[in-house]
Amino acid sequence: DTEVTQTPKHLVMGMTNKKSLKCEQHMGHRAMYWYKQKAKKPPELMFVYSYEKLSINESVPSRFSPECPNSSLLNLHLHALQPEDSALYLCASSPMPAKDNQPQHFGDGTRLSIL
Amino acid sequence: GDSVTQMEGPVTLSEEAFLTINCTYTATGYPSLFWYVQYPGEGLQLLLKATKADDKGSNKGFEATYRKETTSFHLEKGSVQVSDSAVYFCALHQAGTALIFGKGTTLSVSS
């Protein structure tokens, strides 16, 4: 069982809809991440939060809006998405943001389909 | 910049065969190295890690040794099972930077 919980597991939305992806961890980790993964590709980093503050935005389009309400929760708000945004969205966390020997723990992802 | 190169897949093996998935890296510093596994329909799970040269990571019968002289971190298992069928990602991480993944290697094991 994963220690990072993502909801929903599947999401189908139209291009004009607004929806949110949620991620939760209770391991006391202070860094949280959003990744996008296309089929048969490695995950691509989108955002990093360190101590609940956005520290990295990998030039992600503004139709993706992250939010970190507290140290356990991470949201990704979606609005006016395009068909090419269909992918698996993975959340991850790690104990400390900049330490290189601490692995990231991944959730099972939300599979997003844009109609 | 830093990078990770994995052998191209898919790798197709019979049950109980020996597995090697090659991984080499390029890095300016001294990264930590990881193998992640992704089963169908799931997220990534950490399989093993090594944080310095000559460290050996091991888990569930899988092993990988951090070889600084050859900049490699090859994944091995002596006897694969059908349940090992998955995508395997080699990754490196240096302090203050993002996790860098290889392209992934698909393993298919048949009984």
Side-chain angles (χ1 to χ4, degrees):
Chain A
D1 289 338
T2 182
E3 296 168 315
V4 177
T5 304
Q6 291 187 242
T7 56
K9 291 192 182 301
H10 302 275
L11 179 61
V12 179
M13 57 187 287
M15 287 189 285
T16 58
N17 292 157
K18 285 185 181 181
K19 295 286 185 183
S20 296
L21 309 184
K22 296 186 184 301
C23 174
E24 190 167 4
Q25 58 88 14
H26 294 288
M27 295 178 283
H29 290 178
R30 303 312 301 273
M32 296 186 76
Y33 312 79
W34 279 115
Y35 289 85
K36 174 183 178 181
Q37 186 181 26
K38 299 286 261 186
K40 301 187 186 300
K41 299 289 187 183
E44 299 172 13
L45 183 65
M46 300 174 71
F47 302 103
V48 181
Y49 272 82
S50 299
Y51 299 100
E52 296 96 69
K53 294 194 185 307
L54 183 64
S55 60
I56 295 177
N57 176 341
E58 292 286 353
S59 303
V60 179
S62 60
R63 57 186 185 268
F64 295 92
S65 175
E67 177 195 22
C68 189
N70 60 55
S71 60
S72 300
L73 295 174
L74 186 66
N75 298 321
L76 186 62
H77 303 298
L78 314 173
H79 174 55
L81 295 194
Q82 303 298 308
E84 61 267 27
D85 297 323
S86 297
L88 180 67
Y89 287 84
L90 294 165
C91 174
S93 69
S94 64
M96 298 289 284
K99 296 291 186 180
D100 63 359
N101 62 355
Q102 295 172 343
Q104 294 179 21
H105 298 251
F106 286 81
D108 282 339
T110 294
R111 189 160 300 281
L112 177 65
S113 298
I114 306 300
L115 301 178
Chain B
D2 295 353
S3 65
V4 174
T5 302
Q6 282 181 245
M7 62 186 290
E8 295 286 333
V11 174
T12 303
L13 295 173
S14 298
E15 207 165 24
E16 299 183 2
F18 185 85
L19 168 71
T20 300
I21 300 178
N22 290 338
C23 172
T24 57
Y25 67 91
T26 302
T28 53
Y30 302 94
S32 292
L33 300 174
F34 306 93
W35 277 101
Y36 283 89
V37 58
Q38 187 172 31
Y39 298 102
E42 297 184 11
L44 275 69
Q45 297 178 24
L46 177 69
L47 183 58
L48 52 84
K49 72 172 187 178
T51 58
K52 61 184 188 298
D54 300 325
D55 269 2
K56 177 187 281 189
S58 61
N59 185 26
K60 299 181 182 179
F62 291 89
E63 293 183 341
T65 300
Y66 190 145
R67 302 283 189 202
K68 186 168 179 291
E69 64 275 13
T70 54
T71 62
S72 65
F73 193 54
H74 304 320
L75 183 68
E76 296 182 337
K77 187 175 185 183
S79 176
V80 293
Q81 306 299 311
V82 172
S83 56
D84 293 327
S85 298
V87 181
Y88 292 81
F89 292 98
C90 184
L92 73 81
H93 188 220
Q94 300 211 65
T97 68
L99 188 61
I100 296 173
F101 289 96
K103 291 186 176 180
T105 302
T106 299
L107 171 64
S108 179
V109 181
S110 57
S111 57

